[in-house]
């Protein structure tokens, strides 16, 4: 099964946190909901996904995050009974063709275009200083 990745799609993905990468870890500890912020083709003609983590932990005051509203949790297939945030100050970058982590399983759901515009407008200003974790050699 081939997935047509698009912004706003919510996947289960073994997200590798920046703090884990800084400690030398190379594997995410568990699959978690993650949203596709962008799908693009780089100069090397490779397709990449830029992935933002979704968390149920209240972000620390020094983190930049957007809380997921109830209507968006429903659309995205997220737990309705828990608060959830999308962190915008770090991301995973993963090539779609050679990824060990992108599975051909159906997405959990899809955030609305309006919610994604809000997220991506904010993320775009943070991108230069956001912590990138590349999931490829």
């Amino acid at each position: 099964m081939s997935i047509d990745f698009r912004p706003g799609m919510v996947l289960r993905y073994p997200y590798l946190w920046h703090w884990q990468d800084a400690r030398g870890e190379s594997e995410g500890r568990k699959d978690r909901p993650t949203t596709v912020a962008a799908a693009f083709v780089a100069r090397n003609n490779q397709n990449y996904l830029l992935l933002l983590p979704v968390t149920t932990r209240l972000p620390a005051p020094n983190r930049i995050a957007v809380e997921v509203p109830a209507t968006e949790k429903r659309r995205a297939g997220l737990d309705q009974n828990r608060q959830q945030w999308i962190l915008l100050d770090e991301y995973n970058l993963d090539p779609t063709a050679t990824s060990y982590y992108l599975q051909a399983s159906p997405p959990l759901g899809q955030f609305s275009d309006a919610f994604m515009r809000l997220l991506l407008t904010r993320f775009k200003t943070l991108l230069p200083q956001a912590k990138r974790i590349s999931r490829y050699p």
Side-chain angles (χ1 to χ4, degrees):
M1 170 179 166
S2 177
I3 298 176
D4 180 24
F5 296 106
R6 60 191 177 281
M9 185 179 284
V10 178
L11 312 169
R12 293 211 59 82
Y13 179 82
Y15 187 86
L16 181 63
W17 294 100
H18 177 262
W19 66 267
Q20 292 171 322
D21 183 58
R23 288 179 22 177
E25 296 181 36
S26 61
E27 303 295 323
R29 295 183 180 179
K30 68 176 186 176
D31 283 354
R32 71 173 45 259
T34 308
T35 189
V36 176
F40 63 94
V41 179
R43 288 185 205 145
N44 63 0
N45 283 335
Q46 175 81 274
N47 292 313
Y48 290 89
L49 292 184
L50 192 154
L51 300 153
L52 297 172
V54 178
T55 183
T56 57
R57 280 197 171 159
L58 178 65
N62 65 333
R63 302 298 305 265
I64 302 169
V66 172
E67 187 171 0
V68 181
T71 54
E72 294 298 335
K73 285 192 278 190
R74 232 181 341 273
R75 289 180 180 124
L78 300 173
D79 187 341
Q80 294 292 300
N81 299 314
R82 300 183 79 182
Q83 284 185 287
Q84 298 189 48
W85 294 266
I86 299 170
L87 291 167
L88 302 177
D89 55 1
E90 70 172 75
Y91 62 95
N92 280 192
L93 189 63
D94 206 347
T96 58
T98 58
S99 175
Y100 298 115
Y101 311 106
L102 296 169
Q103 302 168 4
S105 57
L108 295 173
Q110 173 82 35
F111 289 126
S112 71
D113 290 343
F115 184 64
M116 286 308 295
R117 273 193 299 281
L118 170 89
L119 281 178
L120 295 177
T121 298
R122 185 127 186 242
F123 178 69
K124 185 177 174 182
T125 64
L126 300 168
L127 185 57
Q129 70 264 17
K131 295 171 178 77
R132 178 177 76 188
I133 299 89
S134 298
R135 300 300 296 270
Y136 55 91

